[in-house]
């Protein structure tokens, strides 16, 4: 069965007089996708891994990729920006006002430790 699509008035409203599609609001949004934030994650041993991400995506994605590359479990590390903990499930580079070239520290979580009471 052959199905032909005839342009509707909605389709026609996105056409310029020369028959090409006009730039729509969706096109403008997708053009902003080309904006990326470059940052690095620095481990306690000083090694760095660099990332380039969309400023509106949650940081959980690059954090998990970092953990995969470093053979760490995501749940056992803490990510810090200028000494403050980052919640990768809720925060984005834009909400953190992350600048290009920023450095995020990663620390292994430690439970307990310290001296025993004598």
């Amino acid at each position: 069965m052959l199905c032909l699509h005839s342009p509707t008035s909605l389709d026609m409203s996105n056409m310029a007089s020369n028959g090409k599609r006009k730039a729509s609001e969706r096109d403008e949004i997708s053009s902003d996708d080309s904006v990326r934030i470059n940052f690095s994650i620095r481990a306690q041993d000083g090694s760095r891994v660099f990332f380039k991400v969309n400023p509106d995506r949650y940081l959980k994605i690059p954090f998990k990729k970092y953990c995969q590359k470093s053979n760490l479990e995501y749940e056992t590390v803490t990510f810090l920006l200028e000494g403050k903990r980052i919640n990768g499930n809720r925060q984005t580079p834009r909400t953190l006002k992350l600048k290009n070239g920023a450095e995020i520290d990663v620390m292994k979580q430690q439970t307990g430790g310290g001296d025993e009471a004598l």
Side-chain angles (χ1 to χ4, degrees):
M1 178 178 196
L2 180 63
C3 183
L4 298 177
H5 172 71
S6 62
T8 63
S9 61
L10 185 61
D11 292 334
M12 297 303 279
S13 66
N14 283 336
M15 297 288 204
S17 59
N18 62 3
K20 293 186 179 178
R21 244 180 96 232
K22 288 183 191 177
S24 65
E25 189 175 322
R26 174 177 262 176
D27 293 334
E28 292 170 16
I29 292 171
S30 65
S31 68
D32 288 343
D33 285 344
S34 63
V35 176
R36 300 280 188 232
I37 300 289
N38 298 305
F39 69 92
S40 64
I41 296 179
R42 186 180 64 165
Q44 289 172 295
D45 66 1
S47 63
R48 291 184 184 165
V49 177
F50 294 87
F51 290 91
K52 185 184 282 192
V53 297
N54 181 316
D56 295 314
R57 301 287 176 167
Y58 291 119
L59 287 166
K60 182 177 184 176
I61 296 166
F63 289 175
K64 282 193 166 193
K65 286 185 181 180
Y66 172 82
C67 290
Q68 279 181 328
K69 288 182 181 184
S70 302
N71 293 323
L72 298 169
E73 291 184 38
Y74 177 72
E75 293 78 19
T76 64
V77 295
T78 301
F79 294 91
L80 305 169
L81 178 63
E82 298 173 1
K84 295 181 183 173
R85 186 176 291 199
I86 299 172
N87 183 341
N89 294 326
R90 296 183 187 164
Q91 293 177 305
T92 66
R94 191 176 308 276
T95 61
L96 292 171
K97 298 179 182 164
L98 204 64
K99 304 276 187 217
N100 271 325
E103 190 171 83
I104 294 175
D105 296 314
V106 62
M107 304 289 174
K108 292 181 183 177
Q109 293 177 358
Q110 179 176 339
T111 304
D115 293 342
E116 290 183 42
L118 297 174

